[in-house]
Amino acid sequence: MNKASLECRHISLAYGATPVLRDVNLKIEPGEFFALLGPSGSGKSTLLRLIAGFNRHQSGELLIDGQDITGVPPHARNVGMVFQNYALWPHMTVWDNVAFGLVERRETKDAIRRKVGAALELVGLSDYAQRRPAQLSGGQQQRVALARTIVIEPKLLLLDEPLSNLDKQLRVQMREELKNLQRKLGLTTIFVTHDQEEAMTTADRMAVLDKGILQQVGSAAGLYDFPQNRFVAGFVGTANLLEGEVTALSGETLTFHARGLGPLTLPRPAEPPAVGAAALAFRPHQVSICVRDEQGDASRVWLDGQVESAEFLGEFSRYRVRVGEVALVTDQPHYAGIAMFPPGAQVRLGVEPTQLRYLDR
Ligand code: ADP
């Protein structure tokens, strides 16, 4: 099977006067399962369609295996795309839907029989070849759309929100199937989603887009543990963000003036931030909570607060705690018998200093 690399160099695209992609630089390695993640309207589909050849960028270069394909029409790019609504032919059987691209390419009858048979087997639909799309479940239609795309042996597989039409349970099952299929084929795959959980559970690496600007590229854990800016910190997972300013750095400590909270003396990280405006980000589950008079672990940074709200979510309880003029969120793992803090409780929050991230954007 083909494995291609894809590279975007300084890609920009505008619809009229509205910029939609701004100076996108991205390299996707051969065989990677890569997610484009971002909120609705961030430009994900526009970028995917551009790779497929349905959109044209105004500046920059788009390269497959190092070759600029800007002028190459969609059908000559050898890129397979699965659309959100699957776009199956309703009057054709599953078999004929999958065979369509091969017939168009005037492949021999023998080759078509062999390739369609193999593609249907790969997606587990050999017994459904004579059905029509309307006689299939959403998940099965999705698999037909996949079979129809991989049967032409594309160099790149593009998936536009492939799971968004499925209900929650099926989505979880299909994302595993998709991942297994991609592993089996080793096909360079780029998939668009607005769902961070979907991106994190399936992709080898992902790019986070906001307002047409690539915010950060990396593995799920890389983005979650080391977000580069406020947007990524808040979009990949949940984050507490304290706005403020780094005012002083000394040998062992750092002073951060948190807006609405006052000065905090914190351990100086190995790679300290510059003095100046910054936000301090940390995850809710990295904050412990205890009653006010309890002596907490001395390695943590302790803040006094009052519980504003408590939500029981099964696996954990989420507390919003007012500290000074800001509200911080803490998630506590749950087990039967654990005491919960009611709204109004006077508590202390312990922040794990190694997990603090300073963001200057
Ligand atoms: P996403 O896939 O992240 O939801 P899109 O790439 O579909 O975002 O859209 C990005 C922006 O471009 C949106 O603001 C959208 O309204 C705009 N847009 C998309 N397609 C067109 C078009 N054909 N003409 C004008 N604006 C468009």
Side-chain angles (χ1 to χ4, degrees):
M1 186 60 77
N2 290 316
K3 281 190 190 183
S5 68
L6 176 96
E7 192 173 352
C8 299
R9 286 190 192 153
H10 303 292
I11 295 262
S12 293
L13 181 153
Y15 289 118
T18 313
V20 173
L21 296 174
R22 309 182 210 206
D23 195 29
V24 171
N25 289 290
L26 182 63
K27 179 135 200 245
I28 298 173
E29 302 297 335
E32 246 189 325
F33 198 169
F34 195 92
L36 294 174
L37 174 67
S40 175
S42 56
K44 308 179 295 291
S45 298
T46 300
L47 182 55
L48 200 73
R49 294 174 60 83
L50 194 144
I51 298 165
F54 303 128
N55 285 340
R56 190 77 181 258
H57 47 285
Q58 280 107 13
S59 58
E61 288 172 279
L62 183 66
L63 302 102
I64 292 184
D65 281 342
Q67 304 272 326
D68 193 344
I69 54 156
T70 302
V72 180
H75 65 268
R77 288 189 179 191
N78 210 6
V79 163
M81 180 148 168
V82 176
F83 295 91
Q84 198 172 345
N85 57 6
Y86 316 139
L88 301 175
W89 300 105
H91 60 287
M92 285 187 189
T93 62
V94 165
W95 181 278
D96 289 340
N97 263 287
V98 176
F100 189 80
L102 301 174
V103 175
E104 289 251 290
R105 291 179 180 207
R106 298 177 197 280
E107 298 227 3
T108 64
K109 281 210 168 101
D110 263 2
I112 294 176
R113 200 173 305 128
R114 186 168 41 80
K115 288 182 182 179
V116 174
L120 286 177
E121 193 176 328
L122 199 62
V123 298
L125 285 180
S126 301
D127 295 340
Y128 296 79
Q130 294 315 314
R131 293 218 191 166
R132 289 181 206 282
Q135 298 168 306
L136 299 175
S137 71
Q140 290 166 336
Q141 290 181 28
Q142 160 78 279
R143 288 194 210 134
V144 178
L146 270 170
R148 186 181 59 173
T149 307
I150 57 183
V151 80
I152 60 162
E153 297 171 37
K155 280 184 157 184
L156 277 181
L157 177 62
L158 308 181
L159 308 168
D160 191 2
E161 297 266 4
L163 307 177
S164 65
N165 283 344
L166 307 174
D167 61 44
K168 170 90 183 160
Q169 210 178 348
L170 198 54
R171 220 159 47 221
V172 172
Q173 182 194 329
M174 281 304 292
R175 76 186 183 207
E176 226 155 276
E177 281 186 25
L178 206 55
K179 195 170 167 171
N180 290 337
L181 185 68
Q182 195 270 346
R183 288 247 169 85
K184 226 184 282 177
L185 295 172
L187 198 54
T188 311
T189 303
I190 305 172
F191 106 97
V192 156
T193 180
H194 63 274
D195 181 337
Q196 47 123 340
E197 187 181 303
E198 209 163 282
M200 290 174 93
T201 51
T202 49
D204 299 319
R205 286 193 311 148
M206 61 183 95
V208 177
L209 263 175
D210 183 42
K211 301 187 179 79
I213 299 169
L214 216 57
Q215 305 289 325
Q216 194 173 347
V217 180
S219 67
L223 267 60
Y224 185 83
D225 290 339
F226 299 98
Q228 276 171 4
N229 60 38
R230 292 168 175 79
F231 181 82
V232 176
F235 196 74
V236 180
T238 308
N240 286 299
L241 271 182
L242 285 175
E243 292 293 339
E245 197 177 340
V246 177
T247 52
L249 279 167
S250 71
E252 304 256 297
T253 62
L254 172 161
T255 308
F256 181 77
H257 264 259
R259 203 181 300 155
L261 231 176
L264 301 172
T265 303
L266 304 168
R268 177 187 167 119
E271 286 176 39
V275 169
L280 195 52
F282 48 97
R283 304 292 177 186
H285 70 272
Q286 291 155 352
V287 182
S288 57
I289 184 169
C290 64
V291 292
R292 186 65 71 77
D293 51 10
E294 191 174 314
Q295 191 63 37
D297 176 351
S299 69
R300 291 190 173 234
V301 178
W302 291 94
L303 301 166
D304 288 348
Q306 183 174 26
V307 174
E308 272 190 348
S309 67
E311 277 181 322
F312 175 63
L313 292 150
E315 288 92 338
F316 61 91
S317 296
R318 172 163 290 181
Y319 298 100
R320 262 175 81 85
V321 178
R322 178 138 304 259
V323 182
E325 287 165 31
V326 301
L328 296 177
V329 176
T330 167
D331 289 345
Q332 299 304 308
H334 177 74
Y335 48 89
I338 194 172
M340 293 203 35
F341 296 95
Q346 299 291 325
V347 294
R348 297 179 80 203
L349 296 181
V351 183
E352 170 56 51
T354 59
Q355 303 298 315
L356 295 171
R357 299 291 173 256
Y358 297 88
L359 308 173
D360 57 9
R361 285 189 289 138

